[in-house]
mmCIF file with all atom_site columns, all heavy atoms in Angstrom:
data_model
loop_
_atom_site.group_PDB
_atom_site.id
_atom_site.type_symbol
_atom_site.label_atom_id
_atom_site.label_alt_id
_atom_site.label_comp_id
_atom_site.label_asym_id
_atom_site.label_entity_id
_atom_site.label_seq_id
_atom_site.pdbx_PDB_ins_code
_atom_site.Cartn_x
_atom_site.Cartn_y
_atom_site.Cartn_z
_atom_site.occupancy
_atom_site.B_iso_or_equiv
_atom_site.pdbx_formal_charge
_atom_site.auth_seq_id
_atom_site.auth_comp_id
_atom_site.auth_asym_id
_atom_site.auth_atom_id
_atom_site.pdbx_PDB_model_num
ATOM   1   N N   . ASN A 1 102 ? -51.751 85.484  28.012 1.00 0.00 ? 102 ASN A N   1
ATOM   2   C CA  . ASN A 1 102 ? -53.197 85.310  28.157 1.00 0.00 ? 102 ASN A CA  1
ATOM   3   C C   . ASN A 1 102 ? -53.813 85.187  26.776 1.00 0.00 ? 102 ASN A C   1
ATOM   4   O O   . ASN A 1 102 ? -53.215 85.573  25.777 1.00 0.00 ? 102 ASN A O   1
ATOM   5   C CB  . ASN A 1 102 ? -53.811 86.566  28.799 1.00 0.00 ? 102 ASN A CB  1
ATOM   6   C CG  . ASN A 1 102 ? -53.755 86.512  30.309 1.00 0.00 ? 102 ASN A CG  1
ATOM   7   O OD1 . ASN A 1 102 ? -53.776 85.437  30.895 1.00 0.00 ? 102 ASN A OD1 1
ATOM   8   N ND2 . ASN A 1 102 ? -53.714 87.678  30.927 1.00 0.00 ? 102 ASN A ND2 1
ATOM   9   N N   . THR A 1 123 ? -51.113 80.115  33.733 1.00 0.00 ? 123 THR A N   1
ATOM   10  C CA  . THR A 1 123 ? -50.802 80.131  35.166 1.00 0.00 ? 123 THR A CA  1
ATOM   11  C C   . THR A 1 123 ? -51.800 80.969  35.954 1.00 0.00 ? 123 THR A C   1
ATOM   12  O O   . THR A 1 123 ? -52.351 81.929  35.430 1.00 0.00 ? 123 THR A O   1
ATOM   13  C CB  . THR A 1 123 ? -49.366 80.664  35.407 1.00 0.00 ? 123 THR A CB  1
ATOM   14  O OG1 . THR A 1 123 ? -49.073 80.533  36.807 1.00 0.00 ? 123 THR A OG1 1
ATOM   15  C CG2 . THR A 1 123 ? -49.174 82.121  35.002 1.00 0.00 ? 123 THR A CG2 1
ATOM   16  N N   . LYS A 1 183 ? -59.587 79.715  30.260 1.00 0.00 ? 183 LYS A N   1
ATOM   17  C CA  . LYS A 1 183 ? -59.123 80.922  30.953 1.00 0.00 ? 183 LYS A CA  1
ATOM   18  C C   . LYS A 1 183 ? -59.591 82.159  30.186 1.00 0.00 ? 183 LYS A C   1
ATOM   19  O O   . LYS A 1 183 ? -59.998 83.163  30.775 1.00 0.00 ? 183 LYS A O   1
ATOM   20  C CB  . LYS A 1 183 ? -57.595 80.906  31.094 1.00 0.00 ? 183 LYS A CB  1
ATOM   21  C CG  . LYS A 1 183 ? -57.094 82.084  31.887 1.00 0.00 ? 183 LYS A CG  1
ATOM   22  C CD  . LYS A 1 183 ? -55.741 81.888  32.514 1.00 0.00 ? 183 LYS A CD  1
ATOM   23  C CE  . LYS A 1 183 ? -55.412 83.037  33.448 1.00 0.00 ? 183 LYS A CE  1
ATOM   24  N NZ  . LYS A 1 183 ? -54.076 83.588  33.228 1.00 0.00 ? 183 LYS A NZ  1
ATOM   25  N N   . VAL A 1 186 ? -63.127 83.105  31.077 1.00 0.00 ? 186 VAL A N   1
ATOM   26  C CA  . VAL A 1 186 ? -63.211 83.814  32.361 1.00 0.00 ? 186 VAL A CA  1
ATOM   27  C C   . VAL A 1 186 ? -62.711 85.248  32.189 1.00 0.00 ? 186 VAL A C   1
ATOM   28  O O   . VAL A 1 186 ? -63.333 86.212  32.644 1.00 0.00 ? 186 VAL A O   1
ATOM   29  C CB  . VAL A 1 186 ? -62.387 83.054  33.437 1.00 0.00 ? 186 VAL A CB  1
ATOM   30  C CG1 . VAL A 1 186 ? -62.266 83.861  34.705 1.00 0.00 ? 186 VAL A CG1 1
ATOM   31  C CG2 . VAL A 1 186 ? -63.000 81.690  33.704 1.00 0.00 ? 186 VAL A CG2 1
ATOM   32  N N   . ASN A 1 187 ? -61.601 85.398  31.482 1.00 0.00 ? 187 ASN A N   1
ATOM   33  C CA  . ASN A 1 187 ? -61.044 86.742  31.263 1.00 0.00 ? 187 ASN A CA  1
ATOM   34  C C   . ASN A 1 187 ? -62.014 87.615  30.463 1.00 0.00 ? 187 ASN A C   1
ATOM   35  O O   . ASN A 1 187 ? -62.154 88.805  30.741 1.00 0.00 ? 187 ASN A O   1
ATOM   36  C CB  . ASN A 1 187 ? -59.698 86.665  30.532 1.00 0.00 ? 187 ASN A CB  1
ATOM   37  C CG  . ASN A 1 187 ? -58.568 86.204  31.433 1.00 0.00 ? 187 ASN A CG  1
ATOM   38  O OD1 . ASN A 1 187 ? -57.667 85.528  31.006 1.00 0.00 ? 187 ASN A OD1 1
ATOM   39  N ND2 . ASN A 1 187 ? -58.624 86.554  32.706 1.00 0.00 ? 187 ASN A ND2 1
ATOM   40  N N   . ILE A 1 190 ? -64.790 88.906  32.774 1.00 0.00 ? 190 ILE A N   1
ATOM   41  C CA  . ILE A 1 190 ? -64.417 89.781  33.896 1.00 0.00 ? 190 ILE A CA  1
ATOM   42  C C   . ILE A 1 190 ? -63.644 91.022  33.428 1.00 0.00 ? 190 ILE A C   1
ATOM   43  O O   . ILE A 1 190 ? -64.000 92.161  33.760 1.00 0.00 ? 190 ILE A O   1
ATOM   44  C CB  . ILE A 1 190 ? -63.560 88.997  34.934 1.00 0.00 ? 190 ILE A CB  1
ATOM   45  C CG1 . ILE A 1 190 ? -64.368 87.837  35.507 1.00 0.00 ? 190 ILE A CG1 1
ATOM   46  C CG2 . ILE A 1 190 ? -63.062 89.930  36.039 1.00 0.00 ? 190 ILE A CG2 1
ATOM   47  C CD1 . ILE A 1 190 ? -63.589 86.945  36.469 1.00 0.00 ? 190 ILE A CD1 1
ATOM   48  N N   . ASN A 1 191 ? -62.572 90.794  32.657 1.00 0.00 ? 191 ASN A N   1
ATOM   49  C CA  . ASN A 1 191 ? -61.606 91.878  32.427 1.00 0.00 ? 191 ASN A CA  1
ATOM   50  C C   . ASN A 1 191 ? -62.161 93.122  31.730 1.00 0.00 ? 191 ASN A C   1
ATOM   51  O O   . ASN A 1 191 ? -61.944 94.235  32.239 1.00 0.00 ? 191 ASN A O   1
ATOM   52  C CB  . ASN A 1 191 ? -60.379 91.339  31.680 1.00 0.00 ? 191 ASN A CB  1
ATOM   53  C CG  . ASN A 1 191 ? -59.548 90.419  32.552 1.00 0.00 ? 191 ASN A CG  1
ATOM   54  O OD1 . ASN A 1 191 ? -59.997 89.979  33.605 1.00 0.00 ? 191 ASN A OD1 1
ATOM   55  N ND2 . ASN A 1 191 ? -58.345 90.109  32.126 1.00 0.00 ? 191 ASN A ND2 1
ATOM   56  N N   . ASN A 1 201 ? -62.824 93.163  40.909 1.00 0.00 ? 201 ASN A N   1
ATOM   57  C CA  . ASN A 1 201 ? -63.600 92.032  40.381 1.00 0.00 ? 201 ASN A CA  1
ATOM   58  C C   . ASN A 1 201 ? -64.898 91.788  41.145 1.00 0.00 ? 201 ASN A C   1
ATOM   59  O O   . ASN A 1 201 ? -65.938 91.521  40.552 1.00 0.00 ? 201 ASN A O   1
ATOM   60  C CB  . ASN A 1 201 ? -62.748 90.755  40.402 1.00 0.00 ? 201 ASN A CB  1
ATOM   61  C CG  . ASN A 1 201 ? -61.546 90.855  39.483 1.00 0.00 ? 201 ASN A CG  1
ATOM   62  O OD1 . ASN A 1 201 ? -61.394 91.844  38.771 1.00 0.00 ? 201 ASN A OD1 1
ATOM   63  N ND2 . ASN A 1 201 ? -60.688 89.849  39.497 1.00 0.00 ? 201 ASN A ND2 1
ATOM   64  N N   . VAL A 1 248 ? -64.742 82.493  40.118 1.00 0.00 ? 248 VAL A N   1
ATOM   65  C CA  . VAL A 1 248 ? -63.481 83.254  40.005 1.00 0.00 ? 248 VAL A CA  1
ATOM   66  C C   . VAL A 1 248 ? -63.696 84.675  40.546 1.00 0.00 ? 248 VAL A C   1
ATOM   67  O O   . VAL A 1 248 ? -62.829 85.225  41.244 1.00 0.00 ? 248 VAL A O   1
ATOM   68  C CB  . VAL A 1 248 ? -62.964 83.275  38.543 1.00 0.00 ? 248 VAL A CB  1
ATOM   69  C CG1 . VAL A 1 248 ? -61.729 84.156  38.420 1.00 0.00 ? 248 VAL A CG1 1
ATOM   70  C CG2 . VAL A 1 248 ? -62.640 81.860  38.070 1.00 0.00 ? 248 VAL A CG2 1
ATOM   71  N N   . THR A 1 252 ? -61.462 86.129  43.549 1.00 0.00 ? 252 THR A N   1
ATOM   72  C CA  . THR A 1 252 ? -60.544 87.237  43.252 1.00 0.00 ? 252 THR A CA  1
ATOM   73  C C   . THR A 1 252 ? -61.239 88.577  43.522 1.00 0.00 ? 252 THR A C   1
ATOM   74  O O   . THR A 1 252 ? -60.884 89.592  42.913 1.00 0.00 ? 252 THR A O   1
ATOM   75  C CB  . THR A 1 252 ? -60.080 87.195  41.781 1.00 0.00 ? 252 THR A CB  1
ATOM   76  O OG1 . THR A 1 252 ? -61.242 87.330  40.928 1.00 0.00 ? 252 THR A OG1 1
ATOM   77  C CG2 . THR A 1 252 ? -59.377 85.906  41.418 1.00 0.00 ? 252 THR A CG2 1
ATOM   78  N N   . ASN A 1 255 ? -59.274 91.670  43.766 1.00 0.00 ? 255 ASN A N   1
ATOM   79  C CA  . ASN A 1 255 ? -58.241 91.911  42.730 1.00 0.00 ? 255 ASN A CA  1
ATOM   80  C C   . ASN A 1 255 ? -58.568 93.085  41.839 1.00 0.00 ? 255 ASN A C   1
ATOM   81  O O   . ASN A 1 255 ? -59.731 93.302  41.497 1.00 0.00 ? 255 ASN A O   1
ATOM   82  C CB  . ASN A 1 255 ? -58.211 90.726  41.749 1.00 0.00 ? 255 ASN A CB  1
ATOM   83  C CG  . ASN A 1 255 ? -57.243 89.671  42.139 1.00 0.00 ? 255 ASN A CG  1
ATOM   84  O OD1 . ASN A 1 255 ? -56.943 89.528  43.310 1.00 0.00 ? 255 ASN A OD1 1
ATOM   85  N ND2 . ASN A 1 255 ? -56.778 88.901  41.163 1.00 0.00 ? 255 ASN A ND2 1
ATOM   86  N N   . LYS A 1 256 ? -57.508 93.758  41.413 1.00 0.00 ? 256 LYS A N   1
ATOM   87  C CA  . LYS A 1 256 ? -57.636 94.650  40.265 1.00 0.00 ? 256 LYS A CA  1
ATOM   88  C C   . LYS A 1 256 ? -57.208 93.809  39.080 1.00 0.00 ? 256 LYS A C   1
ATOM   89  O O   . LYS A 1 256 ? -56.024 93.437  38.985 1.00 0.00 ? 256 LYS A O   1
ATOM   90  C CB  . LYS A 1 256 ? -56.662 95.816  40.402 1.00 0.00 ? 256 LYS A CB  1
ATOM   91  C CG  . LYS A 1 256 ? -57.240 97.005  41.073 1.00 0.00 ? 256 LYS A CG  1
ATOM   92  C CD  . LYS A 1 256 ? -56.315 98.189  40.920 1.00 0.00 ? 256 LYS A CD  1
ATOM   93  C CE  . LYS A 1 256 ? -56.840 99.320  41.777 1.00 0.00 ? 256 LYS A CE  1
ATOM   94  N NZ  . LYS A 1 256 ? -56.029 100.512 41.670 1.00 0.00 ? 256 LYS A NZ  1
ATOM   95  N N   . ALA A 1 257 ? -58.118 93.464  38.193 1.00 0.00 ? 257 ALA A N   1
ATOM   96  C CA  . ALA A 1 257 ? -57.773 92.580  37.071 1.00 0.00 ? 257 ALA A CA  1
ATOM   97  C C   . ALA A 1 257 ? -56.678 93.207  36.222 1.00 0.00 ? 257 ALA A C   1
ATOM   98  O O   . ALA A 1 257 ? -56.503 94.429  36.200 1.00 0.00 ? 257 ALA A O   1
ATOM   99  C CB  . ALA A 1 257 ? -59.010 92.296  36.232 1.00 0.00 ? 257 ALA A CB  1
ATOM   100 N N   . SER A 1 258 ? -55.971 92.336  35.491 1.00 0.00 ? 258 SER A N   1
ATOM   101 C CA  . SER A 1 258 ? -54.827 92.817  34.707 1.00 0.00 ? 258 SER A CA  1
ATOM   102 C C   . SER A 1 258 ? -55.246 93.901  33.708 1.00 0.00 ? 258 SER A C   1
ATOM   103 O O   . SER A 1 258 ? -54.506 94.867  33.484 1.00 0.00 ? 258 SER A O   1
ATOM   104 C CB  . SER A 1 258 ? -54.176 91.645  33.971 1.00 0.00 ? 258 SER A CB  1
ATOM   105 O OG  . SER A 1 258 ? -55.150 90.940  33.233 1.00 0.00 ? 258 SER A OG  1
ATOM   106 N N   . MET A 1 259 ? -56.455 93.782  33.138 1.00 0.00 ? 259 MET A N   1
ATOM   107 C CA  . MET A 1 259 ? -56.869 94.769  32.142 1.00 0.00 ? 259 MET A CA  1
ATOM   108 C C   . MET A 1 259 ? -57.159 96.125  32.799 1.00 0.00 ? 259 MET A C   1
ATOM   109 O O   . MET A 1 259 ? -56.902 97.173  32.217 1.00 0.00 ? 259 MET A O   1
ATOM   110 C CB  . MET A 1 259 ? -58.095 94.269  31.375 1.00 0.00 ? 259 MET A CB  1
ATOM   111 C CG  . MET A 1 259 ? -58.268 94.915  30.031 1.00 0.00 ? 259 MET A CG  1
ATOM   112 S SD  . MET A 1 259 ? -59.662 94.259  29.093 1.00 0.00 ? 259 MET A SD  1
ATOM   113 C CE  . MET A 1 259 ? -58.960 92.890  28.220 1.00 0.00 ? 259 MET A CE  1
ATOM   114 N N   . GLN A 1 261 ? -55.543 97.153  35.430 1.00 0.00 ? 261 GLN A N   1
ATOM   115 C CA  . GLN A 1 261 ? -54.202 97.707  35.693 1.00 0.00 ? 261 GLN A CA  1
ATOM   116 C C   . GLN A 1 261 ? -53.632 98.358  34.430 1.00 0.00 ? 261 GLN A C   1
ATOM   117 O O   . GLN A 1 261 ? -53.026 99.422  34.484 1.00 0.00 ? 261 GLN A O   1
ATOM   118 C CB  . GLN A 1 261 ? -53.257 96.611  36.176 1.00 0.00 ? 261 GLN A CB  1
ATOM   119 C CG  . GLN A 1 261 ? -53.649 96.048  37.537 1.00 0.00 ? 261 GLN A CG  1
ATOM   120 C CD  . GLN A 1 261 ? -52.695 94.947  37.973 1.00 0.00 ? 261 GLN A CD  1
ATOM   121 O OE1 . GLN A 1 261 ? -51.493 95.027  37.778 1.00 0.00 ? 261 GLN A OE1 1
ATOM   122 N NE2 . GLN A 1 261 ? -53.231 93.900  38.577 1.00 0.00 ? 261 GLN A NE2 1
ATOM   123 N N   . GLU A 1 270 ? -55.175 93.804  26.574 1.00 0.00 ? 270 GLU A N   1
ATOM   124 C CA  . GLU A 1 270 ? -55.082 92.539  25.828 1.00 0.00 ? 270 GLU A CA  1
ATOM   125 C C   . GLU A 1 270 ? -56.422 92.190  25.177 1.00 0.00 ? 270 GLU A C   1
ATOM   126 O O   . GLU A 1 270 ? -56.715 91.020  24.949 1.00 0.00 ? 270 GLU A O   1
ATOM   127 C CB  . GLU A 1 270 ? -54.629 91.420  26.772 1.00 0.00 ? 270 GLU A CB  1
ATOM   128 C CG  . GLU A 1 270 ? -53.191 91.599  27.216 1.00 0.00 ? 270 GLU A CG  1
ATOM   129 C CD  . GLU A 1 270 ? -52.633 90.385  27.950 1.00 0.00 ? 270 GLU A CD  1
ATOM   130 O OE1 . GLU A 1 270 ? -53.243 89.979  28.956 1.00 0.00 ? 270 GLU A OE1 1
ATOM   131 O OE2 . GLU A 1 270 ? -51.595 89.857  27.538 1.00 0.00 ? 270 GLU A OE2 1
ATOM   132 N N   . ILE A 1 274 ? -58.007 88.467  23.914 1.00 0.00 ? 274 ILE A N   1
ATOM   133 C CA  . ILE A 1 274 ? -59.076 87.867  24.725 1.00 0.00 ? 274 ILE A CA  1
ATOM   134 C C   . ILE A 1 274 ? -60.418 87.930  23.974 1.00 0.00 ? 274 ILE A C   1
ATOM   135 O O   . ILE A 1 274 ? -61.075 86.913  23.773 1.00 0.00 ? 274 ILE A O   1
ATOM   136 C CB  . ILE A 1 274 ? -59.136 88.562  26.107 1.00 0.00 ? 274 ILE A CB  1
ATOM   137 C CG1 . ILE A 1 274 ? -57.862 88.211  26.895 1.00 0.00 ? 274 ILE A CG1 1
ATOM   138 C CG2 . ILE A 1 274 ? -60.393 88.149  26.880 1.00 0.00 ? 274 ILE A CG2 1
ATOM   139 C CD1 . ILE A 1 274 ? -57.678 88.970  28.185 1.00 0.00 ? 274 ILE A CD1 1
HETATM 140 O O1  . LIG B 2 .   ? -56.842 86.506  35.173 1.00 0.00 ? 1   LIG B O1  1
HETATM 141 C C1  . LIG B 2 .   ? -57.336 87.473  35.684 1.00 0.00 ? 1   LIG B C1  1
HETATM 142 C C2  . LIG B 2 .   ? -56.783 88.775  35.296 1.00 0.00 ? 1   LIG B C2  1
HETATM 143 O O2  . LIG B 2 .   ? -56.787 89.702  36.090 1.00 0.00 ? 1   LIG B O2  1
HETATM 144 O O3  . LIG B 2 .   ? -56.316 88.876  34.156 1.00 0.00 ? 1   LIG B O3  1
HETATM 145 C C3  . LIG B 2 .   ? -58.528 87.335  36.588 1.00 0.00 ? 1   LIG B C3  1
HETATM 146 C C4  . LIG B 2 .   ? -58.901 85.878  36.691 1.00 0.00 ? 1   LIG B C4  1
HETATM 147 C C5  . LIG B 2 .   ? -59.682 88.127  36.029 1.00 0.00 ? 1   LIG B C5  1
HETATM 148 C C6  . LIG B 2 .   ? -58.229 87.739  37.991 1.00 0.00 ? 1   LIG B C6  1
HETATM 149 O O4  . LIG B 2 .   ? -58.108 89.095  38.183 1.00 0.00 ? 1   LIG B O4  1
#
Side-chain angles (χ1 to χ4, degrees):
N102 274 331
T123 186
K183 184 158 188 228
V186 171
N187 285 146
I190 298 176
N191 290 14
N201 296 356
V248 175
T252 61
N255 268 27
K256 268 191 188 181
S258 53
M259 202 177 272
Q261 294 179 40
E270 291 190 304
I274 292 172

